[in-house]
Amino acid sequence: MKPFISLLVAVAASFLVASTAAQTCVNQYADFFDAQLWSNNDGPNDFAGDWVETDHLNLGPANGQARINKDGFLVLRRRDPNANAPQVCRSVNMADPNGEFFLELSYNFDVSTEQEDRFAIFVSGDGGSQTNVGEYNGRVKGWQSVNVDLRAFRGFNQVEICLVI
């Protein structure tokens, strides 16, 4: 049997909303996963809601296949290839039509991950269909940083970002 997929995410969901003129950070939404809560906020601005966990085990933020571990990492783990993929989603307000919007995160695949294993970032605006804005695989080991341009979603009141393994 293939080993399970495990993904650690650090400093996930650091959403930067910058003005176009000065390129300085106007709004920042951040969750550094320093608490085992789906409602945690570490930035100066509050998210539009809690992280929403989709995990067939539904054991909450400290357990299950989508969880926040004691070391301060979001962990997405898929042990059963026949079960729905675990994911977590969170929303932010990106209503400024001229704003610069980026998602910054760092990730690390577990050592047992195979090269074809991957996770994806999906984004939707105001309840619309999800768009895949980035897909990352287990070919590169160690911590990797990602900066995703989300300007295509500016002007939406509610933008939902999902991390899916």
Side-chain angles (χ1 to χ4, degrees):
M1 180 174 179
K2 179 180 166 181
F4 63 84
I5 302 168
S6 183
L7 173 73
L8 298 176
V9 180
V11 193
S14 180
F15 302 95
L16 303 177
V17 182
S19 66
T20 52
Q23 291 298 312
T24 57
C25 185
V26 175
N27 296 305
Q28 183 177 15
Y29 305 86
D31 187 346
F32 299 120
F33 301 109
D34 50 356
Q36 289 180 304
L37 302 167
W38 290 133
S39 60
N40 194 46
N41 277 293
D42 289 315
N45 295 295
D46 290 337
F47 286 93
D50 297 347
W51 285 101
V52 176
E53 168 192 14
T54 304
D55 172 1
H56 75 281
L57 298 175
N58 257 349
L59 298 174
N63 298 295
Q65 294 190 103
R67 70 177 188 278
I68 302 167
N69 72 14
K70 292 177 183 174
D71 295 325
F73 297 107
L74 171 67
V75 177
L76 298 176
R77 181 170 282 170
R78 187 172 185 177
R79 292 180 185 258
D80 181 357
N82 298 316
N84 289 336
Q87 69 177 16
V88 291
C89 301
R90 200 151 195 197
S91 297
V92 296
N93 182 325
M94 294 186 353
D96 181 357
N98 300 311
E100 298 293 317
F101 300 96
F102 300 90
L103 166 64
E104 296 177 343
L105 63 88
S106 297
Y107 69 92
N108 186 9
F109 280 95
D110 188 275
V111 293
S112 64
T113 303
E114 296 181 13
Q115 289 186 356
E116 69 273 7
D117 292 337
R118 59 190 70 245
F119 86 98
I121 301 169
F122 289 91
V123 179
S124 63
D126 289 344
S129 61
Q130 289 187 330
T131 301
N132 185 334
V133 296
E135 201 164 291
Y136 308 92
N137 61 42
R139 289 188 184 114
V140 179
K141 300 300 180 195
W143 285 100
Q144 304 298 312
S145 294
V146 173
N147 187 324
V148 180
D149 185 343
L150 299 176
R151 287 178 289 185
F153 297 91
R154 61 183 160 200
F156 288 102
N157 289 319
Q158 187 115 342
V159 174
E160 182 180 64
I161 289 99
C162 297
L163 305 174
V164 183
I165 194 162

